[in-house]
Short mmCIF file of all heavy atoms in Angstrom, two decimals:
data_model
loop_
_atom_site.label_atom_id
_atom_site.label_comp_id
_atom_site.label_asym_id
_atom_site.label_seq_id
_atom_site.Cartn_x
_atom_site.Cartn_y
_atom_site.Cartn_z
N GLN A 304 -30.23 153.37 15.63
CA GLN A 304 -29.33 152.26 15.30
C GLN A 304 -29.84 151.47 14.10
O GLN A 304 -29.07 150.89 13.35
CB GLN A 304 -29.17 151.33 16.51
CG GLN A 304 -28.22 151.90 17.56
CD GLN A 304 -28.06 150.97 18.77
OE1 GLN A 304 -28.78 149.99 18.92
NE2 GLN A 304 -27.12 151.30 19.64
N ARG A 305 -31.16 151.44 13.93
CA ARG A 305 -31.73 150.73 12.79
C ARG A 305 -31.85 151.61 11.55
O ARG A 305 -32.36 151.17 10.53
CB ARG A 305 -33.13 150.22 13.14
CG ARG A 305 -33.11 149.19 14.22
CD ARG A 305 -34.48 148.62 14.42
NE ARG A 305 -34.40 147.44 15.29
CZ ARG A 305 -35.25 146.44 15.25
NH1 ARG A 305 -36.24 146.46 14.38
NH2 ARG A 305 -35.13 145.42 16.06
N GLY A 306 -31.44 152.86 11.70
CA GLY A 306 -31.53 153.77 10.57
C GLY A 306 -32.94 154.31 10.37
O GLY A 306 -33.26 154.86 9.32
N TRP A 307 -33.80 154.16 11.36
CA TRP A 307 -35.19 154.60 11.22
C TRP A 307 -35.40 156.05 11.62
O TRP A 307 -36.40 156.66 11.28
CB TRP A 307 -36.12 153.71 12.07
CG TRP A 307 -36.22 152.31 11.57
CD1 TRP A 307 -35.77 151.82 10.35
CD2 TRP A 307 -36.81 151.20 12.24
NE1 TRP A 307 -36.03 150.49 10.26
CE2 TRP A 307 -36.68 150.06 11.39
CE3 TRP A 307 -37.44 151.05 13.47
CZ2 TRP A 307 -37.17 148.81 11.74
CZ3 TRP A 307 -37.92 149.80 13.83
CH2 TRP A 307 -37.79 148.69 12.97
N LEU A 308 -34.51 156.59 12.44
CA LEU A 308 -34.61 158.00 12.84
C LEU A 308 -33.23 158.63 12.76
O LEU A 308 -32.22 157.95 12.96
CB LEU A 308 -35.08 158.13 14.30
CG LEU A 308 -36.54 157.95 14.65
CD1 LEU A 308 -36.72 158.12 16.16
CD2 LEU A 308 -37.40 158.98 13.92
N ASP A 309 -33.20 159.92 12.49
CA ASP A 309 -31.95 160.68 12.56
C ASP A 309 -31.77 161.04 14.04
O ASP A 309 -32.53 161.83 14.60
CB ASP A 309 -32.09 161.93 11.70
CG ASP A 309 -30.86 162.83 11.77
OD1 ASP A 309 -30.22 162.94 12.84
OD2 ASP A 309 -30.55 163.45 10.73
N GLU A 310 -30.77 160.42 14.68
CA GLU A 310 -30.64 160.54 16.12
C GLU A 310 -30.47 161.99 16.59
O GLU A 310 -31.11 162.43 17.54
CB GLU A 310 -29.45 159.71 16.61
CG GLU A 310 -29.28 159.80 18.11
CD GLU A 310 -28.16 158.92 18.65
OE1 GLU A 310 -27.83 157.90 18.02
OE2 GLU A 310 -27.61 159.28 19.71
N ARG A 311 -29.59 162.71 15.91
CA ARG A 311 -29.31 164.08 16.34
C ARG A 311 -30.58 164.94 16.28
O ARG A 311 -30.88 165.70 17.20
CB ARG A 311 -28.22 164.65 15.42
CG ARG A 311 -27.74 166.02 15.80
CD ARG A 311 -26.58 166.41 14.86
NE ARG A 311 -26.04 167.71 15.22
CZ ARG A 311 -26.62 168.86 14.92
NH1 ARG A 311 -27.76 168.87 14.24
NH2 ARG A 311 -26.07 170.00 15.30
N ARG A 312 -31.33 164.78 15.19
CA ARG A 312 -32.54 165.59 15.04
C ARG A 312 -33.63 165.16 16.02
O ARG A 312 -34.36 166.00 16.56
CB ARG A 312 -33.02 165.53 13.59
CG ARG A 312 -32.06 166.25 12.64
CD ARG A 312 -32.59 166.30 11.24
NE ARG A 312 -33.92 166.92 11.18
CZ ARG A 312 -34.73 166.81 10.15
NH1 ARG A 312 -34.39 166.10 9.09
NH2 ARG A 312 -35.90 167.42 10.18
N ALA A 313 -33.74 163.85 16.25
CA ALA A 313 -34.75 163.37 17.21
C ALA A 313 -34.43 163.89 18.61
O ALA A 313 -35.31 164.31 19.37
CB ALA A 313 -34.80 161.85 17.20
N MET A 314 -33.15 163.87 18.94
CA MET A 314 -32.71 164.38 20.24
C MET A 314 -33.07 165.86 20.39
O MET A 314 -33.71 166.26 21.37
CB MET A 314 -31.18 164.19 20.35
CG MET A 314 -30.51 164.97 21.44
SD MET A 314 -28.71 164.71 21.43
CE MET A 314 -28.19 165.85 20.15
N LEU A 315 -32.68 166.65 19.40
CA LEU A 315 -32.91 168.10 19.53
C LEU A 315 -34.39 168.46 19.45
O LEU A 315 -34.85 169.36 20.15
CB LEU A 315 -32.10 168.85 18.47
CG LEU A 315 -30.58 168.78 18.67
CD1 LEU A 315 -29.83 169.39 17.48
CD2 LEU A 315 -30.16 169.48 19.98
N GLU A 316 -35.14 167.72 18.64
CA GLU A 316 -36.58 168.01 18.52
C GLU A 316 -37.32 167.68 19.82
O GLU A 316 -38.18 168.46 20.27
CB GLU A 316 -37.17 167.21 17.34
CG GLU A 316 -38.62 167.53 17.06
CD GLU A 316 -39.13 166.84 15.79
OE1 GLU A 316 -38.32 166.57 14.88
OE2 GLU A 316 -40.34 166.56 15.73
N THR A 317 -36.97 166.55 20.44
CA THR A 317 -37.66 166.23 21.70
C THR A 317 -37.25 167.22 22.79
O THR A 317 -38.10 167.67 23.57
CB THR A 317 -37.36 164.78 22.17
OG1 THR A 317 -35.95 164.56 22.19
CG2 THR A 317 -38.01 163.76 21.26
N LEU A 318 -35.99 167.60 22.83
CA LEU A 318 -35.55 168.53 23.89
C LEU A 318 -36.19 169.91 23.72
O LEU A 318 -36.64 170.51 24.70
CB LEU A 318 -34.02 168.64 23.90
CG LEU A 318 -33.29 167.36 24.36
CD1 LEU A 318 -31.78 167.51 24.16
CD2 LEU A 318 -33.61 167.03 25.81
N ILE A 319 -36.28 170.39 22.48
CA ILE A 319 -36.89 171.72 22.30
C ILE A 319 -38.39 171.64 22.61
O ILE A 319 -38.99 172.60 23.11
CB ILE A 319 -36.63 172.30 20.88
CG1 ILE A 319 -36.80 173.82 20.89
CG2 ILE A 319 -37.53 171.71 19.83
CD1 ILE A 319 -35.73 174.62 21.54
#
Side-chain angles (χ1 to χ4, degrees):
Q304 283 180 350
R305 295 186 169 208
W307 292 349
L308 281 180
D309 177 325
E310 180 176 334
R311 185 176 182 282
R312 291 185 56 196
M314 165 182 81
L315 292 172
E316 185 174 332
T317 52
L318 292 173
I319 201 74

